[in-house]
Amino acid sequence: MTSGGEAGEPAAESPSGRRPHPAGSSGRGTGARAPVSVRPRPDAARSGDSPHPPAPTPLPLAVRLVAPDALERLARTRATADDLALLQHALHSRRLVLLKSLLTRLERDPRAVPAPARERFEAHWSLMERAEARHAPAVRDTLDYPSVGNWLARALAAPQGASLAAELEHFGSVAAAAALRSGAAFTAELAAPGGILALPGIGLLEAGAPVVRLTARARTARLTVPGAGRQYRPGRPGPVLLRGTRRVTGAGTGWHGLRRLPGGAAVLDDLDPYRAPAAGVGRSALPPSGRTAGAGRPWTRRWRAALGLLRATDPQRAAETTALLRCLVPVARPADGGGTEVSATVRAAPGAILATLPRTAADLAEVLVHETQHTKLAVLHDLVPLHDAGPAAVHRVAWRPDPRPLAGVFQGTYAHLALAEFWDRAAQGTAVPDAVREQARARRDSYRRQVAEAVPILLESSELTPAGREFATGMERLLLSLGRTGRMASGIAGASSCDDVQ
């Protein structure tokens, strides 16, 4: 399943005559800068001009081309550090394209939002620019946080007027989060819809008031409510935040920080209002779970055990997961407590895994492998289109009860192939207990048979691009290296609890 923007847009570059765009530097390890100038001109915004957007300069070579050996490695579900850097660069480039699309919309139609909303947006944009001038990587990492992608998708889809103006207010929180991490000194008044201020990748303040003032100085920042609020008297000091480029922490009445998951930089995000699609997760449209006392402990324990299993079985996959995963979003189970376990990746927000709590560490390890492949393939397909398939033609696959479009077949085949290879390593390794190896063999054989049924669908399709056909051939080679497949084992290869990219 896909949503959250169109595939294949080029990464935006620095048009002539414009100021550099925030966070336009290249992804780590690519060795290139990709500035994007999308600064809205105040004169155009006020005068009613509708300037033609300047043509972007060519893409950096690292983004225009994916070397054949890199495509082969990715087809075999593996990625080196350089491959991961390329994917991260591509993700950031797409985020900038979407941000530029939003700004172009505002430039072209000065009546899209009321003048006060536009003025606040421009003030927040200036704050983002100052933050980038001080520490560009902090701004880049903030813009690339998954919930920012979900916000951008909603803002781009919002009708002009009050709906778009309401979405634009959240950009102040994005800019403030970036500025907090950059170390810049600033004061900003930020909208808190419903009395809630959410800072992407940092945390959330229950303010009980529609506006919060954030004052940042040196190594600390303070949140206060300028008017009468539920929790604060006017002028009374609020929570204090301790500032760092890697992490901002806080304490005080009404403040809730995101919790770091052990063994990496990912967080458990059960706070951000944009952490999941508005329509819910999976075929059952499940909502994300809210924070409750003690709810994070089972996730932390299972995460630690799952990451330990990954590292013992396949260190490269563990490194890939920790490099690409930014957050884990808990998903609520159905009200009746029934239903299958669910996990999903949202195309607008790569780097986030949305999931119900898996029963075992092995199940969570499987979710991590599965959804990491979805993130990789979603980003790669935006960088180098692998197919031009529409939703009309559908195909039967072993892991879903409903027919899937070719895009879903591609995503599912790739994720299940990685699982087959992962469990093959676990079955043959000595770093896991005998009981785990026995379970691994059953899972390997199941996924191997599922993929064997799906690969011919891809190879026989006329909707693959040349890169997509090369990629599918690489997947077939990995499948053949895993040994022969037999008949589908009943009771093993049922419907997958993991969705395609949503």
Side-chain angles (χ1 to χ4, degrees):
M1 295 177 286
T2 58
S3 67
E6 297 300 318
E9 300 103 323
E13 291 295 320
S14 182
S16 60
R18 297 292 190 109
R19 295 173 62 186
H21 178 284
S25 59
S26 68
R28 289 182 290 270
T30 61
R33 276 190 62 84
V36 179
S37 175
V38 291
R39 178 74 169 96
R41 292 190 318 175
D43 57 332
R46 286 190 287 268
S47 68
D49 295 342
S50 180
H52 295 291
T57 56
L59 297 174
L61 183 62
V63 174
R64 281 190 285 123
L65 300 176
V66 177
D69 58 340
L71 196 65
E72 169 68 16
R73 286 191 299 271
L74 290 168
R76 296 176 69 87
T77 75
R78 300 218 158 248
T80 65
D82 286 343
D83 299 333
L84 294 175
L86 177 63
L87 294 176
Q88 289 165 333
H89 185 109
L91 166 62
H92 184 62
S93 295
R94 177 174 175 80
R95 193 60 51 86
L96 295 178
V97 166
L98 296 178
L99 188 58
K100 182 165 186 176
S101 297
L102 179 61
L103 294 168
T104 299
R105 179 183 180 183
L106 297 177
E107 282 191 324
R108 287 179 172 176
D109 187 358
R111 297 168 297 180
V113 295
R118 183 185 296 276
E119 291 168 2
R120 287 192 296 273
F121 185 85
E122 291 187 5
H124 297 147
W125 190 267
S126 295
L127 174 60
M128 184 82 80
E129 287 185 320
R130 297 201 307 273
E132 188 204 16
R134 183 175 179 86
H135 195 259
V139 178
R140 181 183 63 235
D141 287 349
T142 301
L143 288 177
D144 292 352
Y145 188 72
S147 71
V148 176
N150 282 330
W151 163 71
L152 269 171
R154 292 195 210 178
L156 288 167
Q160 70 177 32
S163 295
L164 178 57
E167 294 293 349
L168 289 183
E169 293 290 359
H170 186 64
F171 183 65
S173 296
V174 176
L180 276 172
R181 296 180 60 203
S182 75
F186 67 95
T187 298
E189 292 203 350
L190 307 172
I196 300 295
L197 173 68
L199 298 173
I202 298 175
L204 176 148
L205 175 68
E206 292 182 292
V211 176
V212 173
R213 179 177 294 131
L214 198 164
T215 305
R217 296 288 182 269
R219 299 180 64 84
T220 64
R222 188 174 290 279
L223 295 159
T224 57
V225 174
R230 186 182 74 229
Q231 300 195 38
Y232 311 113
R233 294 194 301 271
R236 180 180 177 181
V240 173
L241 305 180
L242 299 179
R243 310 174 67 187
T245 57
R246 284 293 180 186
R247 192 180 183 193
V248 176
T249 59
T253 303
W255 175 255
H256 306 280
L258 293 179
R259 292 171 292 204
R260 186 72 63 91
L261 290 165
V267 295
L268 187 69
D269 195 339
D270 49 7
L271 296 174
D272 197 306
Y274 289 94
R275 64 190 183 276
V281 179
R283 299 187 288 280
S284 301
L286 299 174
S289 298
R291 177 168 295 188
T292 57
R297 286 193 290 272
W299 279 105
T300 299
R301 289 195 299 267
R302 209 140 297 165
W303 170 272
R304 183 182 289 110
L307 198 58
L309 175 59
L310 276 176
R311 286 174 169 160
T313 303
D314 193 338
Q316 185 178 356
R317 286 207 188 280
E320 180 180 279
T321 297
T322 54
L324 293 178
L325 183 61
R326 297 288 302 274
C327 66
L328 185 61
V329 177
V331 173
R333 291 190 179 276
D336 60 7
T340 60
E341 295 178 356
V342 169
S343 73
T345 296
V346 180
R347 183 179 173 192
I353 292 177
L354 299 87
T356 53
L357 180 65
R359 290 168 298 175
T360 68
D363 289 340
L364 181 54
E366 186 164 287
V367 166
L368 297 180
V369 172
H370 186 117
E371 300 302 336
T372 298
Q373 308 317 305
H374 282 333
T375 284
K376 286 161 54 182
L377 193 57
V379 174
L380 180 65
H381 179 64
D382 282 339
L383 183 59
V384 180
L386 302 174
H387 59 81
D388 53 12
V394 293
H395 310 270
R396 289 285 182 184
V397 292
W399 57 85
R400 287 281 291 262
D402 52 329
R404 308 301 297 141
L406 188 75
V409 177
F410 216 126
Q411 280 281 359
T413 302
Y414 189 59
H416 288 81
L417 178 61
L419 287 171
E421 201 267 354
F422 169 69
W423 289 120
D424 181 65
R425 285 175 179 259
Q428 298 184 45
T430 59
V432 296
D434 291 342
V436 174
R437 286 203 297 274
E438 183 177 351
Q439 182 187 62
R441 284 190 288 272
R443 295 194 187 208
R444 174 200 62 195
D445 293 345
S446 172
Y447 288 123
R448 190 170 55 183
R449 283 186 283 265
Q450 292 180 47
V451 173
E453 290 190 0
V455 165
I457 297 173
L458 297 176
L459 293 176
E460 293 167 10
S461 173
S462 61
E463 297 177 301
L464 297 185
T465 63
R469 188 160 300 282
E470 181 180 346
F471 196 87
T473 301
M475 287 196 289
E476 183 185 41
R477 283 195 288 268
L478 174 58
L479 174 66
L480 294 175
S481 74
L482 297 178
R484 296 178 58 187
T485 60
R487 282 191 316 128
M488 190 72 70
S490 61
I492 296 178
S496 174
S497 62
C498 302
D499 281 316
D500 299 328
V501 176
Q502 184 170 329

